[in-house]
Structure formats: structure tokens, C-alpha cells
């Protein structure tokens, strides 16, 4: 079911400067994006075609996500039991051509499927206290029939946690 799942999920398009050398853009600046968040941790993952990573999340961190290289089918799932949108999902394409970031609030799980030969996925984290590592995170099965997510592939490459 594709719907808008949370009012704080925001998409920030980037103003990209192109010239003969390449491209230049700002992917985050405290003024103008979401100033009340204090981003304190960055992570990057690289993946190959047909990999699905996630659906993971937690109930305390905000993430600012973007695809630096390649193309991703990006999925968000509301995992807040008190929400009217609980277990609903939405999807979008992220790519190095679109140059945009997605702000993901606590309680919203995210995952992606790599559509290009390779991808680079970047996310900034804002959270209080200790880093919400695997033990503090939730994992939703990529092919959970209750979620009924429309993935673009049927036989993804998965890690043990995501099977």
C-alpha cells in the first residue's frame, strides 16, 4: 500500500552545480534543512545489483539518507504500533542523478534494493545517548505478506538478518 506514512518524512532536493569538472552540491546544512536535529554519526554502505538491505529502524534515531552513486528502490515502513499508518509502506527511486535526501524519523523502517550494478548509500544519524546498534533496532522481513511490499525483484541477495 503506497501512502504518505509520516508527516516528518521529508524529501530535500539538492541544488546541483554542473560544470566541465563535474558536480557540486550541499547534501546537508543545519540552517534550512531540519535545524533542531543534531546529526552526530555518518554511515556509508556499498552494495551490488539485486541486494536488498533492510528493512531496519529504531525508535530513537533520525536519519538523513541519500544515494551518492547508483540507483536504489527505497522503501519506508511505519513500524509505530500506535500510528494509524502502522505497517503501511511507501517507496521511491533514489539515485545519483536525482540528487535528493530523505529525512526518516524514529519508528520508520527503511530498506532498499540496488537497481544499478553498484551503489553507495549514505546516511547521517541524529540520536540521544548511545548509538542504536543492531540490538536496539527492529528488522521487518522484506517479503512479509502482511506488508505486501512491491519489490522490483523476486530473488534478492540478502544477509542472514534480512532473511
Amino acid at each position: 500500500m503506497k501512502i504518505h506514512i509520516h508527516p516528518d518524512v521529508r524529501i530535500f532536493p539538492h541544488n546541483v552545480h554542473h560544470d566541465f569538472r563535474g558536480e557540486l552540491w550541499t547534501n546537508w546544512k543545519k540552517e534550512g534543512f531540519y535545524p533542531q536535529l543534531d546529526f552526530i554519526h555518518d554511515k556509508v554502505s556499498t552494495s551490488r545489483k539485486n541486494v536488498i538491505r533492510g528493512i531496519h529502524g529504531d525508535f530513537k534515531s533520525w536519519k538523513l539518507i541519500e544515494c551518492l552513486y547508483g540507483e536504489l528502490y527505497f522503501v519506508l515502513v511505519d513500524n509505530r504500533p500506535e500510528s494509524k499508518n502502522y505497517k503501511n509502506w511507501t517507496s521511491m527511486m533514489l539515485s545519483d542523478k536525482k540528487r535528493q535526501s530523505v529525512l526518516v524519523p524514529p519508528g520508520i523502517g527503511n530498506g532498499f534494493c540496488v537497481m544499478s550494478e553498484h551503489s553507495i548509500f549514505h546516511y547521517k544519524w541524529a540520536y540521544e545517548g548511545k548509538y542504536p546498534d543492531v540490538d536496539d533496532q527492529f528488522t521487518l522481513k522484506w517479503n512479509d505478506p502482511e506488508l505486501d511490499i512491491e519489490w522490483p525483484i523476486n530473488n534478492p541477495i540478502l544477509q542472514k538478518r534480512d532473511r
Side-chain angles (χ1 to χ4, degrees):
M1 174 186 299
K2 289 187 178 188
I3 61 164
H4 183 73
I5 61 173
H6 191 289
D8 286 325
V9 171
R10 301 220 177 129
I11 298 173
F12 297 100
H14 300 305
N15 185 8
V16 181
H17 172 74
H18 303 271
D19 68 18
F20 67 95
R21 300 167 296 171
E23 299 176 340
L24 176 68
W25 72 97
T26 299
N27 67 343
W28 179 80
K29 184 177 170 186
K30 193 164 186 89
E31 301 82 30
F33 276 83
Y34 217 78
Q36 66 270 37
L37 294 177
D38 185 19
F39 288 104
I40 57 176
H41 188 151
D42 280 35
K43 293 187 109 175
V44 175
S45 72
T46 63
S47 302
R48 61 189 170 108
K49 188 173 185 148
N50 296 327
V51 165
I52 288 182
R53 288 188 183 253
I55 303 163
H56 306 150
D58 62 73
F59 294 99
K60 76 180 209 176
S61 72
W62 289 78
K63 296 165 199 76
L64 186 65
I65 291 171
E66 83 180 295
C67 178
L68 294 175
Y69 179 80
E71 184 177 47
L72 307 171
Y73 179 80
F74 184 64
V75 173
L76 296 165
V77 179
D78 189 336
N79 196 40
R80 300 167 302 142
E82 73 285 355
S83 169
K84 66 181 173 109
N85 293 318
Y86 181 56
K87 300 285 181 156
N88 287 337
W89 64 275
T90 191
S91 66
M92 65 195 79
M93 296 302 290
L94 297 178
S95 76
D96 59 358
K97 305 293 185 259
K98 287 178 98 169
R99 296 286 184 226
Q100 61 188 15
S101 296
V102 180
L103 183 66
V104 180
I108 305 296
N110 72 90
F112 62 85
C113 177
V114 180
M115 305 305 294
S116 53
E117 290 302 315
H118 300 282
S119 72
I120 300 174
F121 182 78
H122 173 253
Y123 45 120
K124 302 183 83 52
W125 292 60
Y127 52 87
E128 291 185 18
K130 191 176 159 219
Y131 167 66
D133 210 345
V134 175
D135 293 341
D136 300 316
Q137 296 174 358
F138 59 81
T139 298
L140 303 172
K141 196 169 179 188
W142 73 280
N143 62 351
D144 182 333
E146 185 180 353
L147 298 175
D148 195 28
I149 295 172
E150 299 167 12
W151 292 98
I153 63 171
N154 294 319
N155 296 307
I157 301 166
L158 300 165
Q159 70 160 328
K160 184 177 181 180
R161 176 181 176 190
D162 296 329
R163 284 189 207 127

